[in-house]
Every structure is written in C-alpha cells, then in structure tokens.
Amino acid sequence: MKRFGFLLAAGVALLALGQPAFAADANVFTPATLKASSDIQAKALAGSGAYGFVESLTVRVGPRLAGSPAAKLSHQWAEARFKELGLSNIKVEPFTVDGWERGIEHASILSPVAHHLHVTALGHSVTTPPDGITAPVVRFDTLEDLEAAPEGSLKGKIAFVDKKMNRLQDGGGYGEAVGVRGKGPEAAARKGAVGLLIRSIGTDSHRFPHTGITRYADGVTAIPAGALSNPDADQLNRVLALGQPVSVKMVLSSQAMGPLSDANVMAEIKGRELPDEIVVIGAHLDSWDLGTGALDDGAGVGIVLAAAKIIKSMPQAPRRTIRFVLFGAEEVGLVGAYAYAKQHAAELPKHQAGTEADFGAGPVITFNANFRPEAKPVAEAIGKALAPLGIVPGRGSSSGGPDIGPLAAQGVPTGGLGLDGTDYFDYHHTADDTLDKVDPKKLDQATAAFASFAWLAAEAPMALGPVPKKAE
Amino acid sequence: MKRFGFLLAAGVALLALGQPAFAADANVFTPATLKASSDIQAKALAGSGAYGFVESLTVRVGPRLAGSPAAKLSHQWAEARFKELGLSNIKVEPFTVDGWERGIEHASILSPVAHHLHVTALGHSVTTPPDGITAPVVRFDTLEDLEAAPEGSLKGKIAFVDKKMNRLQDGGGYGEAVGVRGKGPEAAARKGAVGLLIRSIGTDSHRFPHTGITRYADGVTAIPAGALSNPDADQLNRVLALGQPVSVKMVLSSQAMGPLSDANVMAEIKGRELPDEIVVIGAHLDSWDLGTGALDDGAGVGIVLAAAKIIKSMPQAPRRTIRFVLFGAEEVGLVGAYAYAKQHAAELPKHQAGTEADFGAGPVITFNANFRPEAKPVAEAIGKALAPLGIVPGRGSSSGGPDIGPLAAQGVPTGGLGLDGTDYFDYHHTADDTLDKVDPKKLDQATAAFASFAWLAAEAPMALGPVPKKAE
C-alpha cells in the first residue's frame, strides 16, 4: 500500500513539473524537497552553529558522568537550548542508573626498576584497598590467552592484557580490541588474579589512559581493573623483557554510588502531514569524567542541536515529526537508550527512522541504511542527496549508532552516517577529549549530513520500515 | 702559524695525489679524512645503535632529576656504557646542585563553573600550603603586561599569564615565550600575587603541562608557580570570557631538598697526533621528572654514545682527542656545564671545538659554526661533508648547545648541528617525553652528523679557535 502510494505521489509530482518519467529511484523526492535538503546543507556549511553548542556544553557543564550532578546540569542546559530553539514537546525523561565515582589513581612498577605508570580505572571498577595492591605481573597478548591460562595460575597476581588496537577509518579496530575491557576482570578473577591492567583501547601514543565501562559476573570475585596508556604499556613490556619478575603497585580508589537519577532530554519539530510518525536524530549527553566530552559526544550534541536550529528555520515543517533526542548514560551501558525504548515502546512502530551522531566531530564520509527492501530507492535517493558533501556508500547495513541499537532491536529502520574515525580513538575516553580537538568546519559538514538526512527521512514518500528486529 | 701549516698540509696532500690545486676551502681535509668521515656516516646510517642507548637509559634508569637517586643511577649507567665501548679517561666528576622534589599537583576552577585543570609545578617552585591556595584569577597576555600591572593590584590574587608559544622548525618560539617561566613568579609577587599560573611553554594541544626551571629574586616573596596544559589554559580563558569572577584553587606540594651531589660523566678517544687538544661532543644525562627524558635528552645521550662507538671502531684514532661529555643538572640551570667549565678551566684553551645534541631525536637539518675567521674554510669543508645527510647552512653563528654555553663564554669554538625541532616542544618537559617519540632512523642520521662533525673537527689541519668570548 505504502509503496504504491509512493510511486503515485512521485509520479504526480513529476507530471506536475512536466518532467520525463525517470526511474523511480531518481525521483523519490520532489524537486522542492530536494531543494530544501540542499538549502539545509548550504545553511549548515555556511556556519551551522554546532561548534558553539559544543563549546557551551563543555565550558558551562564540562564532564558529565552518568548520574552525577554535572549530568543533571547537562539536562537543564539541554532543556534551555531546546527552548531557545523554539522546539515543541520538550521533555526530560528520567530513569535510574548505577552511580560510580573515580578516586585516586596511581600505578607504578616497583621492581626490578621503578617507573611511574599512567593509569585510570575502568568505569565501574571496584576499588583497591586504600594502600593499593602490590603483586607480580603476568602478561597476556589477548583476552583469549588470558582465558586459556591454567586455573589458579594467577593466584595473587596482577594480569596484564596487552592487546593493541588497530587504527581504521571506520573505527573497526575498536570492536576487535574492546572485549578485554568488559570481560577482562571476570576472566582474570577466574584464574585467581587480584587485579587487572589492560593496554588502553586507543590508537594514540600519548600518556593518556582510556577509560570505559567494565562488567563483573555474578559469583566471580570482582577485582579492580585499570587501563595503562599506550606508552606505559610499552614501558611495562620493556621492563618485563628484562627477564626478571616485575612487581607493580596499583591504587584505584573508586566508589560505587548506588542508584542515581539520570534522564534523556528530547524535543520535536512537529510533522506537517504525519505528525505521529517520528524520525529520531540523537546523540548522547553524558560523557566520561576525564575529559570534557567534546568529541564523545559533545560533537554529536552540537550536530543534533544545530540540525534542529536549521530545520526549524525552514519555511515549511517536515512531513513527519523530527525528534531530537539527547540520551543520558550511554557510556555506562546505553541505559538511557534502553529507557527510551521502554518508555516509547508503544510509539516504536511509528518510528520512521533513527540515527545517532556518536563518533566524533566529522566529517561524515559514508552513508548506508537499514530500511525495508521496498524503501531501497529512498535510501539511494538520500545517498544521492548526500553525495555533494563528499559522502560515499558505506559497507554493510547501518547500525544507526549505539543509542539507536535498542530501537533497531525493535525493528526501527536506521540511517548510518559514518563519521571519519581515523583519529577518534586517539582521544576517546581520555582526559584529552577537549574542545580543541573539534574542527568547526568539519562539524558543519557533519551537521549538513545529519540535518539533510533527517529532513529527507521525514519527507520520504513511504514508510522506511518495519525492518527485521536486530540482534543487540 | 697554524693557518700557514694548514695550507701547507693541504697542499702536500694534494700533490701526493697528483690532483690540481683547488681553492683551499675545497681541500681542507685529505681524501683519506673525508673517506673516513663518509664511512662514519655510512656506519651510522646503517644502524648507529643510538636508539638502543636511549631505550636502555629510559628503561633501566627512567626519569633522572638533578640530584636524585635516579641521577646517580644514570651516572653508573653512563660509566658502564663508556667502559663497554672501551673508551679511556672515564671520569665521574662531581658537583653540588640544589635538590627539589615534586609532590601533589592539582588545580581546579571552583567558580563560576567547576573544572579540573591539568597543572604541574615549575621546577624549584615553592610549595603551596597543604590545602592549597584559592584565589581569584587575573589574566595577562604576556610577562610584559604582568610587569606593567599597577603596584599591589594583584594582592591576594593568582596571576595567569597566557602567552602562546609559536611552532618553528628551529625552536625559535621557545626563546620568545619562555621568559615568563623564569621571571613570572617574581613579577607576579611584586604586584602582590599569591600564586602564578602560566600557559605551558609548548606547542602541543594535549593536556600535558610543561614544567621547567623557574627562579626567585632575593627580597621578593617566593610564590608557588605552575603551568597549565594548553587545552586547560584555553578552558580557563573560556571560563574567564563568561564575564564573572573566576576562582581557582591550586595545590603544588613541592619540596626543596637542599644541596645534593650530582656529576658529569665523561670519557675520551685519545688523539693520535695532538692528544692534548680536545673536541667535546656532549649531551645531558639529567632530565625532568615527568616523562622518561627520551627526547630531552636521552636522544642526545644516544647520539653521543653511538658516535663514540662508531669513532672507536675506525681503523685510526682521530688526530685530536674527542671527549664525550654527559653533563649533569642541565635542566636546573646548566649546573653541570658550569662545573665542567670550572673544573677544566686550564684545558679550555686546548678545546678545539664543542658541540651538544640537546634538541630531540633528529634529523639534523642545518650546520653552522663559530670558528675563528682563519678557520672559515674548515667550517665550509665540514658543511660540504655534511651535505650528503641533507644538511644545509644554518643562519647566524652557532651556540653549540646549552651546556656548551659556558665553554663558548670562555672562547671555545662551537659547531652547531641544528636538529629539526618542529615537534620538539610538543613533548618538551612533559610526561609525554617517552621512547615512542624517538624514530631510530632519524636518530641514526643525527648520529651520522654529530659523529662526522666530531671526526672532522678533530682532524682539522688548524686550530678552530680561539674565538671571542661569548656573552652568556
């Protein structure tokens, strides 16, 4: 039904303009819609204002760890921005998250030669005793090697997993390397280890350790876990290569804070024809505590707010509603995203598409989509409309971004605007994730891409879903 | 006399080879000497071993602050290396230095919005009280602006001097910017300030503050002084730009350690014809405490030791003695260099030339010399012999390097091998000065340059000095 309607609508538009009948995929959108998309891109490229939003967030709020007072401040900040932009249906939707606070962090090699090591606790790591843990170190190349260690072989030891992350434009090296961050503490504890150190999941060679969430398994002793910066992991390797037993002290005095209140903040531009159908464009408002979360995900927040500003400035509202969602508590396990999926479960069949900007400050270099097969021409037409920004087809099917995952799991179609991640993991989850790493021009290009995508998905002549529910 | 002898020697060599008599400056060195210089370069480029020395020093000793136990360990390390290389006249020459130790370092903006700031104490800064100093911040563009502030206008305030360093290949931006590090505490205290924060003297945009020695003036209150990383200085500016009073807390719990023992470590390859005449090739063994001193000046130590190894491997000893000097306590005011100049005062007229590698890990890109006018052809011939390494004439007259300064002040000629400093001040005096920043190939090229320079200066057919005593 919808497909038929779409072809008819496109045909009518074309006849009205006296144009020859091109293949459907070249004529999905009316010239007016494409002109509007092009205008949106031009406005963004001329100065989207996205950088200003990132600056405001990182200066007026700073780091905003899930559940923290700064996170609450970020909700107020976001609400105020949405109000300034004149958006409707502004909501702060609360949920509960397990709180955690970083304390003193210190590590050093005590023997055979003394070295200070730059370390940070993995997110939600349990604390060491106040005086820390001092123990011999046993090194493993990978998580798999740690898991293959004989039972009890790490009794009283600190396990060190030394897996190096590869630098790839699409960030694919992250998935290859990050497993040890989540599963390492359990694996090490199962072998008797009293602590875990991992090489940072990051591509830089600076003395910034990369934090990130870890997990503990029920019934297995929870041991403290930290990440060493890449140069410090290198140095530990060199000291191990001296061939003598290596003793390390680690002090990570973190603290679990119990259940705390957090929230998603959202707002809308109401659709002119199909106000109940919703395109979600999102980013996450929370950040880790070490940097100011400029790239992760201040940049995404800037893109979403600037996209809202530009779309709001258009002479006509989009056909469907565009919902701007700033998720909370992404870093600690997509807690805000799951809360959104739950709180909006009844609406999910009406979600036309979802996308998130959560991979740095641009530019967008690829586009792919996970739409129903009948909507392939829409994906192709959107791709064509994005091409002037230098965007090429991406590989595979789109995930839409981490916070879109719980929606995709319920069959919501996704658009994937692939940001250039070549340098992203140089800064990701470190103290060095600060505003100076954001290039306003690249951010404008990314805003152009996200805003025009949202516009076109909202204008589409057919529903883009449902799609098969995605495994999470 | 010497000049006449030189022309004669060159003429004899040419006649012996049946070559036409070229202008003197093309025939300063015999073909055999030039062949040896070329062989030295080839050996270095094929793998000088310099990187291995830097690795050994930074792994087996690590940071080695003047007067510290690690500095003593570095003396033993250097002595052992010289012995392994089979050098003669190995000496550890002690002197006294004022000791200092870094303690807890923390700074934060308390209001109007809370931000953690990455700070480090300037070297020899006095300590804050244990609870730190909390005070309003007053910002200045430059040291000159601070010095021009009205008397008493900073009473109870923290002065913040925000001078940005320029990135230049020859490191020239350092001299323009570094004044505030030495003179800032005095200038701020004279206006009544209770503390000083400066923007780091560095060209990076990472959250590593750059330390470095500061000074206090007699009769002026000594106030604690620290450097903010560049991104933190940026952030402080942004918070100041909000237009409200900005309150900062700084805790720098450093400690003066009184007079401590330190040393220069030296060794020689004795000259075959003029053993009492000495070419000094130096580097400094001490480092700041934050990084492992790989670039500053582990790289120089590696160059000197690898040069010694290669020259020692030559079939014939050099005409004059080459002395390899690893200075102590450079970072805290050239203390080792002054001690050397004093302890070797009687020998200084016999110093044929001095040069130091103290500007990172290469490559060498320029050469200039400060020889007596009659030795200009020697400088030109050395320049020609260095040209195959991609080295071009440098501007102005050579300083020879910081530790050579006290020798130059006594009329010792200097050779200046200008290292590429484009990135040097990204790492200088930070925790990020670690081995991963050293490129073995570039270090080999630098070793080729320093070793062949030392060889040719030692082979020269005339004395290169004396030169007018240089102002320090």
Side-chain angles (χ1 to χ4, degrees):
Chain A
M1 280 292 281
K2 281 190 184 272
R3 189 192 181 197
F4 190 73
F6 138 65
L7 288 172
L8 191 63
V12 167
L14 290 166
L15 288 172
L17 287 160
Q19 300 256 339
F22 287 126
D25 64 354
N27 294 283
V28 170
F29 296 110
T30 67
T33 297
L34 290 172
K35 169 71 165 52
S37 164
S38 178
D39 288 349
I40 287 169
Q41 293 181 3
K43 281 191 187 195
L45 294 176
S48 70
Y51 180 88
F53 289 119
V54 188
E55 177 168 356
S56 175
L57 177 62
T58 55
V59 173
R60 291 179 182 269
V61 179
R64 43 208 179 272
L65 191 61
S68 69
K72 281 186 184 54
L73 193 59
S74 77
H75 306 151
Q76 295 163 16
W77 177 90
E79 203 182 358
R81 298 293 82 71
F82 281 140
K83 281 184 186 161
E84 280 171 7
L85 295 175
L87 268 51
S88 58
N89 201 23
I90 300 170
K91 286 186 183 163
V92 178
E93 300 188 325
F95 56 84
T96 297
V97 63
D98 288 335
W100 179 85
E101 233 180 54
R102 191 179 302 281
I104 294 167
E105 307 191 311
H106 175 83
S108 49
I109 303 174
L110 300 183
S111 65
V113 48
H115 280 287
H116 174 53
L117 297 171
H118 286 227
V119 71
T120 197
L122 300 185
H124 287 197
S125 170
V126 295
T127 188
T128 60
D131 291 342
I133 292 169
T134 300
V137 166
V138 183
R139 180 191 170 282
F140 299 91
D141 276 335
T142 64
L143 173 64
E144 293 69 30
D145 290 346
L146 168 62
E147 288 172 337
E151 289 302 317
S153 61
L154 298 180
K155 197 168 157 58
K157 309 272 175 68
I158 293 172
F160 166 48
V161 185
D162 193 33
K163 172 83 176 173
K164 277 190 194 178
M165 178 179 166
N166 293 313
R167 183 187 297 277
L168 293 171
Q169 195 180 39
D170 68 356
Y174 189 62
E176 296 164 8
V178 75
V180 68
R181 202 185 66 206
K183 296 177 190 161
E186 176 188 347
R190 284 191 189 279
K191 310 298 179 178
V194 293
L196 172 72
L197 290 172
I198 66 169
R199 175 186 284 274
S200 280
I201 315 300
T203 47
D204 61 300
S205 198
H206 295 296
R207 294 184 82 185
F208 295 112
H210 297 237
T211 191
I213 196 74
T214 191
R215 288 175 197 88
Y216 294 105
D218 289 339
V220 182
T221 308
I223 60 172
L228 299 176
S229 82
N230 274 311
D232 288 275
D234 294 342
Q235 188 76 334
L236 179 52
N237 277 327
R238 291 185 203 109
V239 173
L240 285 161
L242 297 176
Q244 298 169 56
V246 173
S247 172
V248 161
K249 177 175 181 176
M250 54 192 273
V251 183
L252 302 172
S253 66
S254 57
Q255 195 180 349
M257 308 290 283
L260 297 172
S261 169
D262 206 314
N264 300 318
V265 186
M266 50 164 266
E268 292 176 349
I269 297 175
K270 250 337 177 213
R272 68 176 190 274
E273 290 181 17
L274 301 166
D276 294 344
E277 297 187 17
I278 299 156
V279 171
V280 166
I281 165 173
H284 67 85
L285 199 49
D286 68 308
S287 76
W288 280 106
D289 51 341
L290 297 172
T292 60
L295 294 172
D296 186 13
D297 185 25
V301 171
I303 288 167
V304 167
L305 290 172
K309 181 177 155 205
I310 291 167
I311 295 171
K312 181 72 183 166
S313 77
M314 295 301 287
Q316 183 171 257
R319 190 164 172 242
R320 294 179 182 78
T321 292
I322 300 179
R323 181 177 288 173
F324 304 88
V325 184
L326 300 177
F327 294 94
E330 188 271 349
E331 295 293 3
V332 296
L334 308 178
V335 184
Y338 285 110
Y340 177 92
K342 196 173 169 187
Q343 291 162 2
H344 296 269
E347 266 182 345
L348 292 190
K350 295 277 196 179
H351 274 54
Q352 164 80 341
T355 191
E356 182 178 33
D358 180 22
F359 200 54
V364 171
I365 51 175
T366 60
F367 170 69
N368 56 5
N370 186 36
F371 296 168
R372 66 186 171 114
E374 295 84 348
K376 195 181 173 200
V378 180
E380 284 171 354
I382 294 176
K384 196 175 164 191
L386 293 171
L389 296 171
I391 295 169
V392 299
R395 289 175 302 177
S397 119
S398 155
S399 79
D403 287 307
I404 303 302
L407 306 186
Q410 301 302 318
V412 172
T414 54
L417 294 147
L419 291 143
D420 183 351
T422 310
D423 300 333
Y424 185 63
F425 291 103
D426 289 351
Y427 307 111
H428 182 251
H429 296 188
T430 72
D432 212 23
D433 178 2
T434 48
L435 186 62
D436 51 300
K437 313 306 182 305
V438 177
D439 177 336
K441 283 282 156 204
K442 291 180 180 172
L443 196 62
D444 286 341
Q445 187 270 10
T447 302
F450 275 91
S452 56
F453 168 80
W455 177 263
L456 292 172
E459 287 291 324
M462 65 164 82
L464 305 176
V467 296
K469 296 187 178 188
K470 268 201 173 182
E472 285 179 73
Chain B
M1 281 289 286
K2 282 188 184 274
R3 187 191 180 198
F4 190 71
F6 138 64
L7 288 171
L8 190 67
V12 167
L14 289 167
L15 289 172
L17 286 163
Q19 301 255 340
F22 287 126
D25 63 354
N27 293 282
V28 170
F29 295 110
T30 67
T33 297
L34 291 172
K35 170 69 165 49
S37 163
S38 179
D39 288 349
I40 286 169
Q41 292 181 4
K43 282 189 187 198
L45 294 176
S48 70
Y51 180 86
F53 288 119
V54 187
E55 176 168 358
S56 175
L57 177 62
T58 56
V59 173
R60 292 180 181 267
V61 180
R64 43 208 179 274
L65 191 61
S68 69
K72 282 187 184 53
L73 192 59
S74 76
H75 306 150
Q76 295 162 16
W77 177 91
E79 205 182 357
R81 298 293 83 70
F82 281 140
K83 281 184 185 162
E84 279 171 8
L85 295 174
L87 268 53
S88 57
N89 199 24
I90 300 170
K91 285 186 184 163
V92 178
E93 300 188 324
F95 56 83
T96 298
V97 64
D98 288 335
W100 179 84
E101 232 179 56
R102 190 180 303 280
I104 293 167
E105 307 191 312
H106 176 83
S108 49
I109 302 174
L110 300 185
S111 66
V113 50
H115 281 286
H116 174 54
L117 298 171
H118 286 226
V119 70
T120 197
L122 299 185
H124 286 196
S125 170
V126 295
T127 188
T128 60
D131 291 342
I133 293 169
T134 299
V137 166
V138 183
R139 181 191 171 282
F140 299 92
D141 276 334
T142 63
L143 172 65
E144 293 68 31
D145 290 346
L146 168 61
E147 287 171 338
E151 289 303 315
S153 62
L154 299 181
K155 197 169 159 56
K157 309 271 175 68
I158 293 172
F160 166 48
V161 185
D162 194 32
K163 171 84 175 172
K164 277 192 194 177
M165 179 180 165
N166 293 313
R167 184 187 296 277
L168 295 170
Q169 196 180 38
D170 68 356
Y174 188 63
E176 297 165 8
V178 75
V180 68
R181 201 184 69 207
K183 296 176 190 161
E186 175 188 346
R190 283 189 190 280
K191 310 298 178 177
V194 293
L196 172 72
L197 290 173
I198 66 169
R199 176 185 283 274
S200 280
I201 315 300
T203 47
D204 61 300
S205 197
H206 296 296
R207 293 184 82 186
F208 295 113
H210 296 237
T211 190
I213 196 76
T214 190
R215 287 176 196 86
Y216 293 104
D218 290 339
V220 182
T221 309
I223 61 172
L228 298 176
S229 83
N230 274 311
D232 288 275
D234 294 342
Q235 188 75 334
L236 179 52
N237 278 328
R238 291 185 203 107
V239 173
L240 285 162
L242 297 176
Q244 298 167 56
V246 173
S247 172
V248 162
K249 178 176 181 177
M250 55 191 272
V251 183
L252 302 172
S253 67
S254 55
Q255 195 181 350
M257 307 290 283
L260 297 172
S261 170
D262 205 313
N264 300 317
V265 186
M266 51 164 265
E268 293 177 347
I269 297 174
K270 255 321 181 224
R272 68 176 191 276
E273 289 180 19
L274 301 166
D276 294 346
E277 297 188 16
I278 299 156
V279 171
V280 165
I281 164 173
H284 68 84
L285 199 48
D286 68 308
S287 76
W288 280 106
D289 51 340
L290 297 172
T292 60
L295 294 172
D296 187 11
D297 185 24
V301 171
I303 289 167
V304 167
L305 290 172
K309 182 178 153 204
I310 292 167
I311 294 171
K312 181 72 183 167
S313 76
M314 296 301 286
Q316 183 171 258
R319 190 165 172 241
R320 293 178 184 78
T321 291
I322 300 179
R323 180 177 288 173
F324 304 89
V325 184
L326 300 178
F327 294 94
E330 188 271 349
E331 296 292 3
V332 296
L334 308 178
V335 185
Y338 285 109
Y340 178 92
K342 195 172 170 187
Q343 289 163 1
H344 296 269
E347 267 183 347
L348 292 190
K350 295 277 195 176
H351 274 53
Q352 165 79 341
T355 190
E356 182 178 33
D358 180 22
F359 201 53
V364 171
I365 52 175
T366 59
F367 171 69
N368 56 6
N370 187 35
F371 296 168
R372 66 186 171 115
E374 296 83 349
K376 194 182 173 200
V378 180
E380 284 171 354
I382 293 176
K384 196 175 164 191
L386 293 172
L389 296 171
I391 295 169
V392 298
R395 287 176 303 178
S397 121
S398 154
S399 78
D403 287 307
I404 303 302
L407 306 185
Q410 300 303 319
V412 171
T414 54
L417 294 147
L419 291 143
D420 182 351
T422 309
D423 300 334
Y424 184 63
F425 290 102
D426 288 351
Y427 307 111
H428 183 251
H429 296 188
T430 72
D432 212 22
D433 178 2
T434 48
L435 185 62
D436 50 300
K437 312 308 182 305
V438 177
D439 178 333
K441 284 283 155 204
K442 291 179 179 171
L443 197 61
D444 286 342
Q445 187 270 10
T447 302
F450 275 91
S452 57
F453 168 79
W455 177 263
L456 292 171
E459 287 291 324
M462 66 165 82
L464 305 177
V467 294
K469 296 185 179 191
K470 267 199 173 182
E472 286 178 72

